[in-house]
């Protein structure tokens, strides 16, 4: 490493994905180097020196089965300006403090107290939360983990609609929410530690499009995993087939045999969502699917998913998804059509093996 380079430690954990670890590594190596190559000016001088760091520095196999050889261990890691935390692949239900050693959490606390910037993407911000570094601050995390973060760490203000949040003391905690937000995080680190122009150059070389629309349009609003409460699970299964009917919550109450208040309390306790919120989430997910895949008018889709008030549907959809039904169709309908076009253009005997 040269004295003029910015040093960035990238954590390597068994629960992480190789694409995020190596993707960050390659973007950082690209900074101030590859743009010059593209313009036939030779190879520019690398501005960032990435270091792969694990608990013990020994080779390990990460979640996807890729074997990674770290550069060093936590104990031997030199002082760095930035620490990057990749994703953590276990599901929210599998999350527990046992995933992260106290050695690692203490290392993060000490490095942060010495002035390091810590950047985490996807579910990686859960480490910051577990280390207590986010208490009293805004944060974001992958949409599937937002509920877990909010419930487990009540001192944190979770901004689930945002794909990038800068927070903490001296704004030294950088968090990207959804899966590929590690690109946003890496570009932000490059812009902050070098300059904006270099970050833009990297984005242009790698064809990276900033996730400015946030992560809510990508989120599955209905967390439909079955719960341990058998009665609630039975109501879940029933409502997933009958959410378009009038008065769906009342129908679930009658199915449960409980009083309305007891049912709502029990359902909310089991699922983390009020019954009407759960129904609306199911309806919105179906509306999103229809907007992507059909030519039905927004008014017809409103009726298809169980609403009879177009203005209410438009307002509710926009508030929850962070874009209007028309905007959603334009963005995601186009993506679906482009993928479908590429698939149908393949020869009939195309070999996918």
């Amino acid at each position: 490493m040269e004295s003029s380079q910015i040093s960035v430690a990238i954590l390597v954990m068994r629960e992480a994905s190789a694409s995020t670890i190596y993707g960050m590594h390659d973007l950082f190596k690209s900074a101030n180097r590859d743009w010059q190559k593209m313009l036939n000016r030779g190879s520019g001088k690398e501005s960032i020196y990435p270091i792969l760091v694990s608990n013990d520095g020994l080779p390990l196999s990460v979640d996807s089965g890729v074997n990674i050889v770290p550069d060093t261990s936590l104990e031997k890691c030199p002082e760095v300006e930035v620490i990057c935390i990749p994703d953590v692949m276990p599901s929210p239900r599998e999350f527990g403090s046992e995933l992260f050693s106290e050695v690692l959490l203490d290392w993060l606390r000490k490095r942060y107290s010495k002035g390091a910037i810590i950047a985490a993407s996807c579910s990686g911000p859960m480490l910051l939360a577990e280390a207590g570094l986010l208490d009293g601050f805004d944060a974001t995390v992958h949409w599937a983990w937002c509920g877990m973060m909010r419930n487990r760490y009540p001192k944190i203000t979770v901004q689930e609609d945002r794909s990038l949040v800068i927070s903490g003391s001296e704004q030294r905690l950088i968090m990207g929410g959804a899966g590929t937000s590690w690109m946003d995080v890496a570009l932000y680190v490059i812009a902050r530690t070098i300059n904006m122009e270099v970050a833009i150059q990297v984005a242009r070389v790698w064809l990276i499009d900033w996730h400015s629309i946030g992560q809510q349009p990508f989120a599955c609003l209905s967390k439909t995993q079955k719960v341990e409460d058998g009665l609630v699970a039975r109501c879940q299964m029933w409502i997933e087939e009958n959410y378009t009917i009038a008065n769906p919550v009342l129908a679930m109450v009658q199915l449960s045999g409980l009083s309305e208040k007891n049912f709502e309390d029990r359902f909310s306790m089991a699922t983390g969502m009020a019954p009407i919120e759960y129904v609306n989430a199911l309806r919105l997910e179906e509306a999103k699917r229809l907007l992507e895949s059909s030519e039905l008018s927004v008014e017809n889709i409103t009726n298809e998913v169980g609403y009879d008030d177009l203005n209410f549907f438009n307002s509710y959809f926009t508030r929850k998804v962070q874009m209007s039904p028309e905007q959603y169709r334009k963005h995601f309908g186009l993506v679906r059509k482009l993928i479908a076009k590429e698939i149908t253009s393949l020869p009939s005997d195309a070999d996918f093996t």
Side-chain angles (χ1 to χ4, degrees), residues 140-144 146 150 159-163 178 213-221 223 285 288 317-323 328 332:
T140 193
V141 68
H142 189 286
W143 56 262
C146 285
R150 185 178 293 107
Q159 304 286 352
E160 60 187 301
D161 60 323
R162 294 166 60 186
S163 59
I213 62 174
Q215 61 174 331
Q216 278 305 96
F218 301 89
C220 178
L221 301 175
K223 315 296 193 300
E285 284 305 312
K288 288 162 71 175
F317 188 100
T318 302
R319 178 159 57 88
K320 286 293 185 180
V321 184
Q322 298 296 301
M323 57 172 62
Y328 185 91
F332 290 95

Side-chain angles (χ1 to χ4, degrees), residues 148-166:
M148 165 70 78
M149 178 176 277
R150 185 178 293 107
N151 294 333
R152 188 179 179 95
Y153 311 103
K155 295 180 181 179
I156 299 172
T157 302
V158 181
Q159 304 286 352
E160 60 187 301
D161 60 323
R162 294 166 60 186
S163 59
L164 189 72
V165 169
I166 316 301

Side-chain angles (χ1 to χ4, degrees), residues 82-96:
V82 182
I83 298 168
C84 287
I85 303 173
D87 45 8
V88 184
M89 296 307 291
S91 72
R93 280 185 170 273
E94 298 172 315
F95 175 82

Side-chain angles (χ1 to χ4, degrees), residues 61 66 126 140 150 197 201 212 240 244 255 264 266 275 290 323:
S61 177
V66 175
M126 295 298 288
T140 193
R150 185 178 293 107
E197 182 61 28
Q201 290 171 359
S212 58
E240 285 169 19
T244 62
L255 178 66
E264 290 185 353
R266 189 161 165 177
L290 290 172
M323 57 172 62

Side-chain angles (χ1 to χ4, degrees), residues 73-84:
S73 65
L74 297 177
E75 183 181 3
K76 295 180 180 179
C77 181
E79 294 299 323
V80 294
E81 286 86 350
V82 182
I83 298 168
C84 287

Side-chain angles (χ1 to χ4, degrees), residues 65-349:
V66 175
N67 295 317
I68 296 181
V69 180
D71 296 311
T72 188
S73 65
L74 297 177
E75 183 181 3
K76 295 180 180 179
C77 181
E79 294 299 323
V80 294
E81 286 86 350
V82 182
I83 298 168
C84 287
I85 303 173
D87 45 8
V88 184
M89 296 307 291
S91 72
R93 280 185 170 273
E94 298 172 315
F95 175 82
S97 57
E98 66 277 1
L99 279 177
F100 316 119
S101 70
E102 186 57 36
V103 172
L104 172 57
L105 297 176
D106 192 52
W107 184 80
L108 290 172
R109 296 184 194 105
K110 288 179 178 177
R111 293 297 176 115
Y112 183 65
S113 69
K114 292 181 178 180
I117 294 171
I118 304 182
S121 62
C122 192
S123 48
M126 295 298 288
L127 272 79
L128 299 178
E130 189 70 16
L133 298 178
L134 293 175
D135 288 354
F137 295 112
D138 288 348
T140 193
V141 68
H142 189 286
W143 56 262
W145 294 74
C146 285
M148 165 70 78
M149 178 176 277
R150 185 178 293 107
N151 294 333
R152 188 179 179 95
Y153 311 103
K155 295 180 181 179
I156 299 172
T157 302
V158 181
Q159 304 286 352
E160 60 187 301
D161 60 323
R162 294 166 60 186
S163 59
L164 189 72
V165 169
I166 316 301
S167 192
S169 174
E170 300 175 318
Q171 302 289 284
R172 287 188 288 111
L173 297 177
I174 304 164
M175 289 154 282
T180 56
S181 64
W182 64 263
M183 298 180 189
D184 296 349
V185 169
L187 289 178
Y188 180 87
V189 168
I190 293 169
R192 180 158 168 174
T193 58
I194 306 175
N195 59 57
M196 179 62 74
E197 182 61 28
V198 171
I200 292 173
Q201 290 171 359
V202 171
R204 293 172 71 180
V205 168
W206 290 81
L207 304 183
I208 297 174
D209 187 16
W210 189 267
H211 298 97
S212 58
I213 62 174
Q215 61 174 331
Q216 278 305 96
F218 301 89
C220 178
L221 301 175
S222 55
K223 315 296 193 300
T224 57
Q225 65 267 19
K226 297 303 176 286
V227 297
E228 295 180 2
D229 187 319
L231 183 146
V232 173
R234 183 159 61 92
C235 290
Q236 279 183 296
M237 293 178 64
W238 183 85
I239 198 62
E240 285 169 19
E241 300 295 328
N242 299 279
Y243 57 82
T244 62
I245 68 171
N247 301 315
V249 174
L250 179 59
M252 280 196 291
V253 170
Q254 293 172 345
L255 178 66
S256 73
L258 302 174
S259 70
E260 184 172 357
K261 185 177 188 310
N262 284 343
F263 171 76
E264 290 185 353
D265 288 346
R266 189 161 165 177
F267 191 96
S268 298
M269 178 70 70
T271 66
M273 303 173 74
I276 188 60
E277 182 184 5
Y278 193 89
V279 170
N280 283 331
L282 290 171
R283 289 175 168 177
L284 287 191
E285 284 305 312
E286 176 62 9
K288 288 162 71 175
R289 187 189 70 80
L290 290 172
L291 286 166
E292 293 174 27
S293 61
S294 78
E295 300 299 327
L296 288 174
S297 68
V298 174
E299 183 174 7
N300 284 340
I301 290 175
T302 299
N303 296 326
E304 280 286 320
V305 300
Y307 295 113
D308 56 13
D309 186 330
L310 177 60
N311 289 332
F312 172 82
F313 172 74
N314 274 320
S315 175
Y316 189 74
F317 188 100
T318 302
R319 178 159 57 88
K320 286 293 185 180
V321 184
Q322 298 296 301
M323 57 172 62
S324 71
E326 290 83 1
Q327 290 171 325
Y328 185 91
R329 166 171 273 167
K330 182 177 180 181
H331 186 90
F332 290 95
L334 177 61
V335 171
R336 183 184 283 261
K337 287 177 181 177
L338 289 173
I339 294 174
K341 180 180 178 181
E342 291 301 317
I343 291 174
T344 55
S345 68
L346 291 171
S348 59
D349 61 347

